[in-house]
């Protein structure tokens, strides 16, 4: 059995890699059908085997071992290996399931695209990279997966490479992520320096022994080792999981085809940072400073990005800002040590957000690639399945019981409330206010797209119809977990210690344990009931309902009201539309600054100083010096006399003050 | 079996003799025969160098495959050869890339084919000579002789500004190496009339003398690497050189300077090396950051890659002068990897240049529409240049950053900026050249890579990926030599 399991672990990522290579290199030979057949077979294999692994670890098995030694330097081995535990297995199932759905969906969505084979090759390659990331048992391979998913994201955002906006967005995404990766790599270097290994288990085991160790960045400053490691690694997470201020790439990534927005920029890749911090819980638990930073960054992201979501008119961008905001929720959960709640929200979010994106994609196909919601409306009657599944996704996102998002989001809010960490008070306000805003923009999207007057032009209206089965079957299949996964796994994942040793929380940080006490150890249906009745008290649920009601009132009952509000609060509206000016600032200071500096170094440093001075410089200097000295010999007596007086004066001054 | 009787002399002289034969028999009238003959010589040479790897003893730091013959007894100059785990991979890199250069020149060079091919084969022999010489004068002879074929390659087959570039290249490097020769003569007298490099490794030297010698060697090696601020010959030489010349220049010649630091400065002058480590590290970091920014704003693709080379070589010298195993091994790995990647990128530019006769970024745009296979290859090499994991470009940078972090956090931070800048200049160029709409009617006429071009690009792609996914075989052979080197550096040589 044990030997078999190892073969299965290997087969999961490799089936995707194999399919990606075949579809990528032999795409022209095997054709469209060949390409989607082999990649779907690959990811389906990975999904089924992931279920097998999930059942295996649920039965209590786990695995931690190397596959091969990547390199040895200075006597330290760097290995490629797998760590399979419940956290990994959960991620594997989520990744392969969503990827499987997206593969099927893409058959319909990418049907007319010239780059069909290339697309399937990329998404399979992505699945491989993401699996290597979550299955890693060491920091090095984590970084491999981390960068590899970034690469595929780059390739897919720029998939339509003749669109100027797309190839701008993919470069931007790659570079912003690289800024995060710089922090991440330094964090890894720091781990290596102090622990002498990059293996998770070894690092976690020796971590408690290094408490009190400090790192000095500037002479005279001593920083706690775990604070430094925690913040450096988190900078990487800020890039990948798009936290303020490194979030700017994610909205632009919507230039990519919609299926990959669902897979990469909502369900899986952007949650890599969340996964990473949860995986590193034994390290983060040792630094409250790092946790505070995480809470504050997460809360800012959750609130600020949700607000921008209200003013967006592009259907995909609303969902994108919603993703940013929800990633902020997960980050807040990590910061208050509710790692399990963060992963639980990651899982539920993966399902309902992928669902929402794919539903948006379905609308976009029907609308002939029109994404502006102001030109939609009343689509409900034309595309009932899309409407129905989008409604489920929106209810789950808004946190309405019994949909999946209700349980995970409520747990995060309650956990934040229970925390005593610095910054958790602010975070509690932010995530609570976020509930109202989330419900508002979600249902604004629903109403503008599916309800109200039809604003579709005559030509498009003629062709409006429900999307083909390849599109709506994945929608239905994603709707099922979006409804049930919260209720089913709530008890285990939040309170049941489902993740076991994979997530470690110190007793004084154990906010979820505190919550469990509030339910008096209820289990099963009793716990569900307790959770539900608890929500009926004044709190998040009512805010969500208020948000939905506000959306209904503003966009359906009184559609002229939003415009009046906008005019009344022009300044606030402008700030939101300009996304707080991050883009302009970065474009001016960093992109412009680097180019300006480069030009300065090149023209002045290289061309003028080094080349100019080295080639002609010596001769020129001699010529210039002789010219200067010639000036001194002017032949006028008063010049010489004046020079003498100054000389005498200087000498006397020197003697007197010596 | 013939290959069993391999020795370094054969590896040095086979391509040179082959080149003489080609020169004697070849003319443009029978160009096709010249090409095949050159390819056969290059492949035979590669096969001959393979046993240097397979029969290499990884457990020892001693010189292997040694040969010794007296040459000029009056001055105790000897024909002394031998390689360790640092030189050996560089010799294989040389013989591998020469094959690529021969294939890449196949239909492109139409004038003086025999002379062109012969120049590269002679250069191959001389470069292997540099890596295997254990006598200082022999080293010096190979070192200087190597300049001549490269001078000719730039001067004859180069671009419009080739005379300026070749003279700049020649003077820059010649000035440096003269100071190195003075250093050798000083050491000759200090060591009691010996030119043996290994004798110098044991020689006690006062700090003042060490520092002077350090700068003497520095003049030769820093120009070759090239380090800031003596780097300005490189962009000119690269832009004017024909594709093959750029490949050899970037992939092998630059490595000579770095190799010199490992063979001379570190083990012979350990105290001066420690004394001047701050200076060397500063120059390396300037190269990494300053040059990367300069690369960002280049308008000529070859010039951009040339600047990128300087920036990447900054990692090599940085790694050497932080004196730990990760740094030095990372530096050597970076040398090999940079050989593959810069070679590949220059070939990519060559592929486009052969079609459009322009190296200006603004003359391109939307190349992917006409050359999808080429675009895929270039994407791989661009990503490798940006240091993406699972390509060879990552390995060296990763090890050097990890090593630098142990020396000083800020070294690692400064070096780490290459993650952003390296990606910025490489991918921004890629975006403007490859992506986008078809920019003009010339790009419209482009045709995708031919099987011959696929062949050499695929060979390099294989090397880049192999080294990225499994660098172990490359690192394994150098451990003993690097450990030995670090012991030398740690030991004071003050009398």
């Amino acid at each position: 059995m044990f030997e078999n399991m190892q073969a299965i672990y290997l087969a999961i990522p490799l089936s995707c890699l194999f399919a990606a290579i075949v579809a990528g290199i032999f795409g022209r030979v095997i054709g469209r059908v060949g390409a989607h057949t082999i990649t779907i077979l690959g990811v389906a294999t990975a999904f089924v085997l992931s279920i097998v692994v999930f059942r295996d670890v649920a039965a209590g098995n786990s695995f931690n071992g190397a596959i091969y030694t990547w390199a040895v330097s200075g006597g330290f081995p760097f290995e490629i290996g797998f760590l399979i535990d419940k956290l990994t297995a959960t991620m594997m199932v989520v990744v392969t399931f969503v990827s499987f759905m997206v593969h099927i969906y893409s058959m319909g969505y990418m049907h007319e695209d010239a780059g069909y084979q290339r697309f399937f090759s990329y998404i399979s390659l992505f699945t491989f990279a993401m699996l290597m990331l979550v299955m890693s048992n060491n920091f090095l391979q984590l970084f491999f997966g981390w960068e590899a998913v970034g690469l595929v994201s780059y390739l897919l955002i720029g998939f339509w490479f003749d669109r100027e906006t797309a190839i701008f967005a993919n470069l931007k995404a790659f570079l912003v992520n690289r800024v995060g990766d710089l922090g991440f790599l330094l964090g890894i270097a720091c781990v290596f320096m102090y622990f002498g290994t990059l293996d998770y288990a070894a690092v976690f085991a020796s971590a408690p022994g290094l408490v009190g160790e400090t790192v000095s960045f500037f002479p005279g400053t001593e920083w706690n080792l775990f604070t430094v490691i925690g913040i450096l690694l988190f900078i990487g997470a800020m890039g990948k999981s798009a936290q303020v201020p490194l979030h700017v790439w994610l909205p632009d990534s919507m230039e990519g085809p919609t299926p990959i927005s669902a897979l990469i920029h909502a369900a899986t890749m952007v949650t890599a940072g969340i996964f990473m911090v949860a995986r590193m819980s034994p390290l983060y638990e040792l630094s409250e400073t790092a946790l505070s930073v995480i809470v504050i960054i997460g809360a800012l992201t959750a609130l600020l990005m949700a607000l921008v979501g209200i003013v967006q008119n592009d259907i995909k961008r609303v969902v994108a800002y919603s993703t940013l905001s929800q990633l902020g929720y997960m980050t807040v959960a990590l910061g208050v040590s509710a790692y399990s709640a963060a992963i639980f929200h990651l899982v539920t979010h993966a399902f309902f957000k992928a669902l929402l994106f794919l539903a948006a994609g379905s609308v976009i196909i029907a609308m002939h690639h029109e994404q502006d919601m102001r030109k939609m409306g009343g689509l409900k009657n034309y595309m009932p399945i899309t409407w129905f599944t989008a409604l489920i996704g929106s209810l789950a996102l808004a946190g309405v019981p019994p949909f999946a998002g209700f349980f995970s989001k409520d747990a995060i809010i309650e956990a934040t409330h229970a925390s005593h960490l610095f910054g958790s008070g602010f975070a509690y306000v932010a995530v609570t206010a976020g509930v109202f805003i989330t419900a508002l923009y979600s249902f604004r999207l629903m109403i503008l797209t599916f309800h109200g007057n039809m604003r579709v032009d005559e030509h498009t209206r003629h062709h409006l119809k429900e999307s083909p089965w390849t599109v709506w079957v994945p929608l239905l299949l994603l709707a099922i977990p979006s409804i049930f996964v919260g209720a089913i796994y709530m008890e285990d994942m939040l309170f049941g210690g489902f993740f076991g040793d994979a997530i470690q929380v110190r007793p004084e940080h154990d906010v979820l344990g505190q919550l469990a006490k509030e339910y008096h150890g209820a289990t099963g249906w009793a716990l569900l009931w307790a959770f539900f009745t608890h929500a009926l008290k004044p709190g998040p649920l009512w805010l969500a309902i208020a948000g939905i009601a506000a959306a209904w009132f503003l966009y359906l009952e009184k559609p002229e009201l939003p415009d009046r509000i906008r005019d009344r609060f022009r300044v606030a509206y402008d700030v939101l539309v300009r996304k707080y000016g991050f883009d302009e600032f970065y474009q001016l200071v960093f992109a412009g600054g680097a180019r300006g500096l480069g030009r300065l170094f090149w023209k002045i440093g290289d061309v003028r100083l080094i080349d100019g001075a080295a080639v002609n410089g010596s001769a020129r200097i001699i010529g210039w010096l002789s010219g200067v000295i010639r000036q001194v010999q002017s032949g006028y007596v008063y010049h010489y006399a004046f020079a003498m007086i100054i000389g005498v004066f200087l000498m006397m001054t020197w003697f007197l003050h010596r | 079996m013939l290959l069993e009787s391999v020795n370094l002399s054969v590896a040095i002289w086979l391509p040179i003799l082959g080149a003489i034969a080609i020169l004697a028999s070849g003319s443009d009238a029978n160009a096709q025969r010249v090409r095949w003959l050159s390819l056969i010589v290059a492949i035979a040479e590669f096969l001959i160098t393979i046993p240097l790897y397979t029969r290499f003893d990884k457990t020892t730091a001693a010189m292997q495959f040694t040969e010794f013959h007296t040459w000029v007894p009056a001055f105790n100059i000897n024909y002394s050869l031998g390689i360790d785990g640092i030189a050996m991979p560089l010799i294989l890199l040389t013989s591998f890339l020469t094959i690529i250069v021969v294939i890449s020149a196949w239909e492109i060079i139409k004038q003086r084919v025999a002379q062109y091919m012969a120049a590269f084969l002679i250069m191959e022999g001389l470069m292997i000579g540099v890596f295997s010489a254990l006598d200082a004068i022999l080293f010096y002879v190979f070192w200087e002789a190597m300049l001549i074929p490269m001078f000719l390659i730039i001067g004859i087959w180069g671009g419009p500004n080739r005379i300026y570039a070749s003279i700049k290249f020649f003077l820059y490097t010649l000035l440096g190496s003269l100071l190195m020769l003075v250093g050798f003569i000083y050491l000759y007298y200090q060591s009691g009339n010996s030119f043996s490099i290994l004798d110098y490794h044991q020689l006690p030297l006062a700090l003042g003398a060490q520092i002077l010698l350090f700068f003497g060697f520095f003049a030769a090696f820093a120009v070759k690497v090239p380090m800031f601020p003596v780097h300005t010959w490189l962009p000119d030489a690269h832009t004017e050189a024909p594709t093959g010349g750029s490949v050899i220049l970037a992939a092998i010649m630059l490595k000579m300077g770095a190799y010199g630091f490992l063979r001379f400065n570190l083990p012979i002058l350990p105290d001066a090396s420690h004394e001047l480590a701050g200076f060397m590290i500063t120059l390396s970091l300037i190269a990494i950051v300053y040059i990367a920014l300069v690369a960002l704003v280049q308008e000529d693709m070859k010039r951009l890659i040339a600047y990128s080379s300087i920036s990447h070589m900054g990692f090599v010298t940085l790694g050497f002068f932080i004196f730990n195993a990760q740094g030095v091994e990372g530096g050597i790995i970076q040398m090999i990897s940079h050989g593959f990647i810069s070679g590949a990128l220059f070939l990519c530019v060559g592929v486009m240049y052969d079609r459009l006769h322009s190296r200006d970024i603004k003359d391109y745009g939307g190349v992917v529409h006409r050359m999808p296979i080429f675009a895929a290859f270039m994407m791989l090499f661009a990503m490798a240049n940006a240091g993406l994991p699972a390509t060879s470009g990552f390995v060296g940078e990763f090890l050097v950053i990890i090593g630098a972090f142990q020396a000083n956090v800020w070294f690692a931070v400064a070096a780490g900026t290459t993650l952003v800048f390296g990606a910025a200049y490489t991918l921004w160029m890629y975006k403007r050249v490859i992506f986008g709409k078809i920019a003009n009617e010339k790009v419209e006429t482009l045709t995708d890579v031919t099987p011959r071009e696929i062949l050499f690009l695929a060979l390099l792609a294989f090397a880049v990926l192999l080294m990225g996914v499994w660098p172990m075989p490359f690192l394994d052979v150098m451990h003993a030599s690097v450990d030995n080197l670090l012991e030398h550096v740690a030991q004071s040589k003050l009398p």
Side-chain angles (χ1 to χ4, degrees), chain B residues 117-397:
Chain B
M117 295 294 189
F120 279 102
L121 290 174
I122 290 173
M123 204 153 47
E124 178 183 21
L126 297 174
M127 291 186 297
I128 292 175
V130 170
F131 289 130
S132 45
L134 292 181
D135 182 278
I137 295 301
L138 186 65
F139 177 87
Y140 184 77
V141 168
F142 282 131
W143 178 274
E144 292 292 17
M146 185 181 76
L147 286 182
I148 300 164
M150 184 49 95
F151 177 74
L152 293 176
I153 286 166
I154 300 175
I156 297 174
W157 291 275
N161 207 9
R162 58 181 182 267
I163 303 299
Y164 170 73
S166 55
I167 290 178
K168 195 173 180 182
F169 162 73
F170 199 81
L171 286 183
Y172 242 117
T173 45
L174 187 74
L175 272 175
S177 29
L178 283 175
L179 287 170
M180 174 172 77
L181 183 63
V182 175
F184 287 156
I185 293 168
Y186 177 83
L187 285 170
Y188 173 72
Y189 287 113
Q190 284 296 310
S191 61
N193 301 351
S194 168
F195 277 119
S196 160
I197 297 172
L198 293 181
D199 284 355
Y200 296 165
H201 287 191
Q202 314 297 336
L203 187 68
L205 286 165
L207 186 60
Q210 283 198 27
I211 288 185
L212 280 178
L213 281 169
F214 190 97
F215 279 112
F217 291 144
F218 174 82
F221 302 142
V223 164
K224 265 287 198 300
V225 168
M227 294 180 75
F228 177 88
V230 287
H231 62 275
T232 57
W233 63 272
L234 186 75
D236 283 318
H238 268 313
T239 13
E240 298 307 324
T243 303
S246 293
V247 171
I248 292 298
L249 195 57
I252 320 284
M253 281 224 174
L254 306 191
K255 311 306 177 299
M256 306 259 160
Y259 174 77
F261 281 117
L262 289 185
R263 187 60 81 228
F264 295 94
N265 292 49
L266 290 186
I268 301 178
L269 314 164
D271 304 285
S273 297
H274 279 284
E275 202 69 21
L276 296 170
F279 169 72
M280 296 297 288
I281 289 171
T282 308
L283 290 187
S284 306
L285 292 176
I286 292 177
I288 294 172
V289 179
Y290 168 108
I291 298 292
L293 286 168
V294 174
L296 189 64
V297 293
Q298 295 305 309
E299 289 137 15
D300 178 314
M301 286 189 272
K302 268 187 142 181
R303 209 167 257 279
L304 192 150
I305 300 166
Y307 275 110
S308 148
S309 285
I310 305 169
S311 183
H312 281 96
M313 289 304 286
F315 267 91
V316 176
T317 45
L318 171 67
F320 291 171
F321 282 87
I322 50 184
F323 309 126
N324 57 36
Q326 284 87 31
V328 175
E329 295 190 341
I332 299 171
I333 284 287
Q334 174 85 342
M335 284 160 73
I336 302 168
S337 152
H338 179 259
F340 295 139
I341 298 169
S342 65
L345 284 174
F346 278 120
L347 285 165
C348 283
V349 176
V351 164
M352 288 188 281
Y353 182 81
D354 293 338
R355 288 164 172 72
L356 283 199
H357 300 285
S358 168
R359 298 180 308 255
D360 281 350
I361 292 173
K362 65 171 168 28
D363 288 344
Y364 290 86
V367 170
V368 61
H369 295 276
R370 289 287 170 265
M371 307 178 72
I373 300 175
F374 170 75
F377 274 115
M378 191 161 167
M379 178 90 265
L380 172 68
F381 298 130
M383 280 296 170
N385 201 43
L388 195 83
T391 66
S392 63
F394 171 71
V395 190
E397 287 180 14

Side-chain angles (χ1 to χ4, degrees), chain A residues 541-574:
Chain A
L541 177 57
W542 295 106
L543 282 173
I545 291 169
I548 296 171
W552 170 79
F553 184 74
L554 286 171
Y555 296 98
L556 208 55
E557 286 297 298
K558 302 255 185 246
E560 71 287 353
L561 207 56
D563 289 342
R564 295 222 325 255
I565 296 174
R566 184 184 62 203
D567 292 337
R568 188 84 169 63
F569 300 99
R570 196 79 222 180
V571 177
Y573 176 79
D574 283 346

Side-chain angles (χ1 to χ4, degrees), chain A residues 68 72 161 178 217 606 611, chain B residues 231-232 329 410 419 436 469 479:
Chain A
Y68 73 93
V72 176
F161 42 65
R178 270 296 171 101
F217 269 82
D606 267 33
D611 260 5
Chain B
H231 62 275
T232 57
E329 295 190 341
W410 291 105
L419 245 64
V469 175
H479 291 319

